[in-house]
C-alpha cells in the first residue's frame, strides 16, 4: 500500500520514562548484556491508518503494547521487522550501518505482507528519535553494540481476512554483547530435508515472523543433532541451498571465488551484500547463482571448497565447520575458522566500529 498522506517531516513527541534505570543499574547490564534480554528505557511508536496515513510519531517509555484480542496480527500474522545495530565509535559518536538498506528492505517486506510502506526518511528519523532518548544505552566495550529492532504489524480488530487498515510501527532496542565472547568459533549446521522455510511465490524474501515460525521446528531438530543452526533447501526440488533460519550462506572455492545462492525465496542480507563487496574490492570473483547441496558436499570432500560461512547482522560472520544430514556429514567439527572468512569479518567490523575508513559511505550517524 502506498502511503499517500505522509507529511514531509515527522515531529516526534517525547515522553520521558519516569522509571528509567539509574546509571548504576544500566552499567551493570551493559557490562554483560548478552543478546535480546534487556531493553532500553524508551520505544518509538508511529500509527498508520488507511484514512490518515502515518501519524502520531512518539517516543515513549518502553513497555507493554495494549492489543485487542481480535487484532489481525494475532490471527493472520501480518507482521514484518528489521534488525540493525548502533555502534559506539572511538570519538564517542553513535553510528549505524547502511540503515537506508534496512529501510528499503522493510518497504519491500511491507509490499509482500500488504502493509504500508514506511518512507526511508521516517525510518531513519525513528532510529534517531530513539537514540536521542537512549544514547547512554549504546555500550562502548569492544564488539558490543545496541541492537535496534524496528517492526510493524496489523493492529486492527477485525477477523475478516483482508489487509488491515490500522497498523503500528515500533522501534525497540537491546544492548548486545560480543557474539563470540571467547573468540569466533566455527559451528556445525544441520541440513533440513523434512521442512522448508519458504517456497516459490511465498514470503521467503520478506523479513517476517512467519518465516521464523516456519523454521523453528527444524531449528529444534538441529539442536537435537548437536548443531547450532539449520540449512534449508529449495522447496520444489529439495536440491538447491537457500539459507539458514536467519543468516545467508557463502561458499569459498579454492581459487578464491565466493559463491552464494540466488533464489526468489531468500532474504537479501545486508551483511552478505557488504561482505561480497569487500571481497570484490580485493579482487575476488563473486557468483550469485543456484548452488546445489551436492556442490557443497562434493566440493568440501574434494577440497574444491575451502571455506563456508554464514552471515547476518547479529553474529556478523560465522564460520561453518561441519554440515550434517540424516545420512552424511562433510567437514570437520574441530576445523579452525577459514582465513578469508576471518579476514572479511575483521574488515567489516573494523568499518562498523570506525577503526578504518568508511570508503563505501556505509555509516550513518544517529546521534546528531
Ligand atoms: C535478517 C535475515 C538475514 C540477514 O540479513 P542481514 O541484513 O545481514 O542482517 C538472513 N536471513 C534471514 C531469514 C533474515 O531474516
Amino acid at each position: 500500500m502506498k502511503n499517500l498522506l505522509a507529511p514531509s517531516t515527522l515531529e516526534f513527541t517525547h515522553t520521558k520514562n519516569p522509571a528509567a534505570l539509574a546509571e548504576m543499574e544500566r552499567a551493570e547490564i551493559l557490562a554483560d548484556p548478552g543478546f535480546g534480554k534487556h531493553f532500553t528505557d524508551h520505544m518509538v511508536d508511529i500509527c498508520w491508518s488507511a484514512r490518515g496515513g502515518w501519524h502520531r510519531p512518539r517516543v515513549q517509555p518502553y513497555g507493554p503494547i495494549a492489543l485487542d484480542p481480535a487484532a489481525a496480527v494475532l490471527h493472520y500474522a501480518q507482521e514484518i521487522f528489521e534488525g540493525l545495530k548502533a555502534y559506539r565509535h572511538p570519538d564517542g559518536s553513535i553510528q549505524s550501518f547502511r540503515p537506508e538498506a534496512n529501510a528499503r528492505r522493510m518497504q519491500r517486506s511491507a509490499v509482500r505482507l500488504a502493509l504500508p510502506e514506511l518512507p526511508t526518511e521516517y525510518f531513519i528519523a525513528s532510529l534517531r528519535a530513539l537514540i536521542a532518548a537512549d544514547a547512554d544505552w549504546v555500550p562502548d566495550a569492544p564488539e558490543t553494540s545496541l541492537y535496534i529492532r524496528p517492526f510493524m504489524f496489523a493492529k486492527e480488530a477485525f477477523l475478516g481476512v483482508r489487509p488491515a487498515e490500522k497498523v503500528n510501527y515500533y522501534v525497540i532496542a537491546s544492548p548486545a554483547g560480543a557474539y563470540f565472547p571467547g573468540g569466533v568459533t566455527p559451528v556445525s549446521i544441520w541440513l533440513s530435508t523434512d521442512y522448508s522455510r519458504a517456497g516459490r511465490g511465498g514470503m521467503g524474501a520478506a523479513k517476517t515472523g512467519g518465516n521464523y515460525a516456519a523454521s523453528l521446528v527444524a531449528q529444534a531438530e538441529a539442536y537435537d543433532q548437536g548443531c547450532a543452526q539449520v540449512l534449508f533447501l529449495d522447496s520444489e526440488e529439495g536440491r538447491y541451498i537457500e539459507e539458514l533460519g536467519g543468516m545467508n550462506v557463502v561458499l569459498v572455492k579454492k581459487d578464491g571465488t565466493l559463491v552464494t545462492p540466488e533464489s526468489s525465496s531468500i532474504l537479501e542480507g545486508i551483511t552478505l551484500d557488504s561482505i561480497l563487496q569487500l571481497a570484490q574490492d580485493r579482487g575476488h570473483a563473486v557468483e550469485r547463482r543456484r548452488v546445489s547441496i551436492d556442490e557443497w558436499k562434493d566440493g568440501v570432500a574434494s577440497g574444491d571448497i575451502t571455506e563456508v560461512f554464514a552471515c547476518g547482522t547479529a553474529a556478523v560472520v560465522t564460520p561453518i565447520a561441519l554440515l550434517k544430514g540424516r545420512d552424511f556429514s562433510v567437514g570437520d567439527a574441530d576445523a579452525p575458522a577459514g582465513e578469508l572468512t576471518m579476514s572479511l569479518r575483521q574488515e567489516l567490523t573494523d568499518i562498523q566500529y570506525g577503526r578504518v575508513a568508511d570508503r563505501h559511505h556505509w555509516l550513518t550517524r544517529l546521534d546528531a
Side-chain angles (χ1 to χ4, degrees):
M1 254 175 282
K2 275 286 169 213
N3 119 82
L4 303 167
L5 296 162
S8 59
T9 58
L10 276 193
E11 290 288 336
F12 286 81
T13 60
H14 286 253
T15 307
K16 231 175 134 59
N17 187 347
L21 288 193
E23 196 180 333
M24 285 269 288
E25 294 170 288
R26 189 177 59 238
E28 213 169 290
I29 290 172
L30 293 187
D32 182 21
F35 184 83
K37 291 193 296 188
H38 304 280
F39 298 91
T40 65
D41 296 313
H42 298 88
M43 63 190 207
V44 163
D45 177 0
I46 311 179
C47 301
W48 179 89
S49 67
R51 292 179 56 181
W54 293 105
H55 60 278
R56 214 168 66 174
R58 289 180 291 178
V59 177
Q60 56 183 1
Y62 181 92
I65 297 170
L67 277 188
D68 191 290
V73 66
L74 301 178
H75 305 271
Y76 309 127
Q78 197 188 357
E79 184 267 358
I80 56 176
F81 66 95
E82 269 304 323
L84 69 167
K85 287 172 169 175
Y87 307 89
R88 180 78 69 180
H89 275 209
D91 65 1
S93 67
I94 299 169
Q95 309 271 348
S96 62
F97 185 74
R98 304 183 72 182
E100 301 83 5
N102 293 93
R104 286 194 297 271
R105 186 169 68 189
M106 193 170 209
Q107 290 155 7
R108 295 196 298 275
S109 299
V111 168
R112 180 63 186 84
L113 275 283
L115 284 162
E117 292 172 66
L118 184 77
T120 302
E121 316 85 81
Y122 289 16
F123 183 90
I124 305 291
S126 73
L127 308 180
R128 292 204 163 113
L130 188 64
I131 291 298
D134 286 335
D136 292 343
W137 282 90
V138 182
D140 58 8
E143 310 304 308
T144 63
S145 61
L146 183 67
Y147 182 79
I148 305 178
R149 168 57 59 87
F151 60 105
M152 186 195 295
F153 64 82
K155 216 176 195 181
E156 184 181 0
F158 178 57
L159 292 185
V161 180
R162 59 151 169 74
E165 295 179 355
K166 258 187 71 188
V167 169
N168 274 56
Y169 164 81
Y170 297 90
V171 188
I172 58 173
S174 170
Y179 199 89
F180 295 102
V184 177
T185 28
V187 298
S188 299
I189 297 288
W190 170 249
L191 175 67
S192 173
T193 42
D194 293 346
Y195 306 103
S196 303
R197 68 175 279 284
R200 186 155 66 92
M203 309 191 296
K207 208 166 177 75
T208 176
N211 291 332
Y212 281 75
S215 76
L216 296 178
V217 64
Q219 178 66 48
E221 205 175 74
Y223 288 143
D224 286 345
Q225 297 288 336
C227 295
Q229 290 271 340
V230 59
L231 172 70
F232 291 100
L233 298 176
D234 76 282
S235 64
E236 278 174 273
E237 295 182 63
R239 235 183 98 193
Y240 298 99
I241 61 174
E242 298 241 297
E243 61 171 315
L244 307 184
M247 295 178 96
N248 298 113
V249 179
V250 178
L251 311 178
V252 182
K253 302 185 78 161
K254 193 169 53 191
D255 68 1
T257 303
L258 284 78
V259 184
T260 196
E262 188 167 63
S263 141
S264 61
S265 46
I266 293 179
L267 195 283
E268 291 175 81
I270 296 161
T271 314
L272 172 70
D273 187 71
S274 309
I275 286 284
L276 295 181
Q277 179 66 56
L278 295 180
Q280 265 173 329
D281 293 351
R282 297 181 186 189
H284 289 268
V286 165
E287 296 175 7
R288 298 173 184 259
R289 57 168 169 83
R290 293 214 291 189
V291 184
S292 72
I293 188 64
D294 287 337
E295 180 173 351
W296 180 334
K297 284 196 218 173
D298 298 346
V300 170
S302 71
D304 191 40
I305 290 170
T306 49
E307 304 181 24
V308 188
F309 64 85
C311 52
T313 295
V316 194
V317 169
T318 303
I320 297 174
L322 179 87
L323 174 68
K324 188 176 167 189
R326 287 244 178 266
D327 51 14
F328 77 95
S329 78
V330 288
D332 169 6
D334 300 320
E339 218 172 285
L340 182 63
T341 300
M342 291 306 286
S343 115
L344 288 170
R345 184 182 207 282
Q346 186 67 43
E347 186 176 3
L348 183 62
T349 54
D350 281 347
I351 294 170
Q352 291 170 331
Y353 286 93
R355 296 185 290 247
V356 300
D358 173 27
R359 67 176 183 276
H360 288 289
H361 306 289
W362 279 337
L363 298 173
T364 296
R365 189 164 177 179
L366 295 182
D367 63 328

